[in-house]
Amino acid sequence: MLLLREAFFLHRTKLMSNTGPIGVFDSGYGGLTILSEIRKLLPQYDYCYLGDNARAPYGSRSFEVIYEFTKQAVSALFDQGCSLVILACNTASAKALRTIQQKDLPSWNPNKRVLGVIRPTTEMIGSITKSRHVGILATEGTIQSFSYNLEIAKLFPDIEVTGEACPIWVPLVENCLYENEGADYFIKQNLSNILAKDSLIDTLILGCTHYPILADRIKGFLPEGITVISQGSYVASSLKDYLKRHPEMDANCSKGGSVKYLTTESPQRFTQMAERFLGEAVIAQHFVIA
Ligand code: DGL
């Protein structure tokens, strides 16, 4: 009996000492749109946000480069004590998630988990579109991967999916150039392209985590009756559900309500931009991804 109690105590101590923040990764500022929704729903957890701003954008890079960068970022977040990492980046989710989950994690660290943002977004789409014609606005990498088409086809084979790559949108956000007529030109052009490809679209998914920062402008240029979907709240509810279904992972996530911001670029710039996007004061630290 005593032995059993000691074993339980040791196990609990081990679990407690292994706790760490939930990692949230993006190529830059976009993942903040996911983090803010996650924190609204799950404020009790600690988070560690990593923005690879020095190497953003990822969107037009090759599979090999995106995979390598994402793997390095995930490894860095594991080193920060995270047991669970959210790829708050569609490009990384489309190009690197499956390989990391299936090939790398089992040998690398079978007790850690990496989740993406595409699946939670596609799961809810069937209940939103009425015309069954959905548009995806995303980076070149995400569009070329056909990840959204494949995931939606698995869940809702009756839905027609049309993609449009918007390669300028992320640089507009990363460089804080999105509030002017030059930006509007590119936004309007991509919107009119996608609606010309399929005029029956009634739902547009912002399939890049940077795009919610442009959401008001996007909505302003669309005809009536088109619903614009930002992913954050869907990713947040999916994470909540995941933690409920995986108490062993939940036990590894520390609960102090803190957020640590790491950036591979200038921390001063990150702080300024993050405060603008999040509407609250943040302190960012410079971080070198090895
Ligand atoms: N936020 C990333 C995404 O969701 C942007 C990728 C990029 O850096 O181009 O795809």
Side-chain angles (χ1 to χ4, degrees):
M1 189 61 192
L2 191 68
L3 263 172
L4 211 89
R5 266 192 21 217
E6 270 170 13
F8 172 75
F9 181 71
L10 267 173
H11 178 65
R12 212 183 58 167
T13 313
K14 192 163 177 290
L15 272 181
M16 281 166 66
S17 61
N18 276 349
T19 65
I22 296 175
V24 179
F25 166 66
D26 182 44
S27 60
Y29 300 115
L32 296 172
T33 65
I34 301 288
L35 177 68
S36 66
E37 292 297 328
I38 292 179
R39 284 181 65 213
K40 271 186 212 158
L41 199 64
L42 301 165
Q44 68 275 34
Y45 292 89
D46 292 314
Y47 296 94
C48 180
Y49 184 89
L50 173 58
D52 191 8
N53 301 79
R55 302 191 291 191
Y58 279 15
S60 307
R61 294 185 187 270
S62 67
F63 165 84
E64 288 75 18
V65 170
I66 294 167
Y67 168 60
E68 202 45 47
F69 285 3
T70 306
K71 223 174 116 180
Q72 290 170 357
V74 168
S75 169
L77 284 166
F78 286 169
D79 290 346
Q80 292 289 313
C82 306
S83 290
L84 177 63
V85 172
I86 313 296
L87 300 184
C89 173
N90 288 266
T91 313
S93 299
K95 299 271 196 180
L97 178 64
R98 188 176 295 248
T99 318
I100 290 177
Q101 281 176 334
Q102 294 178 359
K103 187 178 141 264
D104 301 318
L105 274 186
S107 54
W108 190 9
N109 203 327
N111 299 323
K112 308 242 178 193
R113 292 289 176 271
V114 180
L115 304 174
V117 288
I118 295 180
R119 182 72 190 222
T121 313
T122 54
E123 275 169 356
M124 55 72 204
I125 205 70
S127 58
I128 296 176
T129 172
K130 293 197 172 52
S131 70
R132 315 309 275 172
H133 288 250
V134 168
I136 315 295
L137 299 163
T139 64
E140 263 177 271
T142 302
I143 296 299
Q144 281 164 7
S145 73
F146 285 100
S147 298
Y148 273 96
N149 308 59
L150 297 169
E151 286 296 329
I152 293 176
K154 273 190 233 156
L155 300 170
F156 311 105
D158 63 314
I159 294 182
E160 181 97 5
V161 179
T162 302
E164 168 76 3
C166 312
I168 305 295
W169 292 15
V170 169
L172 288 175
V173 173
E174 285 290 312
N175 296 293
C176 208
L177 292 171
Y178 58 94
E179 282 176 326
N180 60 48
E181 282 174 25
D184 289 348
Y185 169 83
F186 290 106
I187 296 172
K188 280 188 213 160
Q189 192 181 49
N190 290 121
L191 294 177
S192 97
N193 287 350
I194 195 164
L195 296 179
K197 288 182 208 166
D198 181 355
S199 60
L200 298 177
I201 286 171
D202 72 349
T203 308
L204 278 175
I205 296 179
L206 302 184
C208 169
T209 56
H210 282 70
Y211 298 175
I213 293 164
L214 308 171
D216 287 343
R217 300 188 98 73
I218 294 170
K219 286 178 195 161
F221 297 131
L222 285 172
E224 289 271 297
I226 298 187
T227 307
V228 175
I229 304 289
S230 295
Q231 304 172 281
S233 59
Y234 302 104
V235 174
S237 355
S238 169
L239 176 60
K240 185 175 178 185
D241 181 55
Y242 176 87
L243 291 168
K244 203 166 153 197
R245 286 185 290 108
H246 294 88
E248 75 294 349
M249 189 49 67
D250 184 69
N252 288 344
C253 300
S254 54
K255 295 166 187 78
S258 72
V259 193
K260 183 171 173 180
Y261 294 95
L262 304 175
T263 175
T264 55
E265 246 296 337
S266 141
Q268 289 80 9
R269 184 169 157 77
F270 187 96
T271 299
Q272 251 177 22
M273 298 282 277
E275 285 181 359
R276 183 173 176 149
F277 299 145
L278 295 171
E280 68 176 12
V282 311
I283 296 168
Q285 297 167 39
H286 183 245
F287 186 80
V288 177
I289 294 183

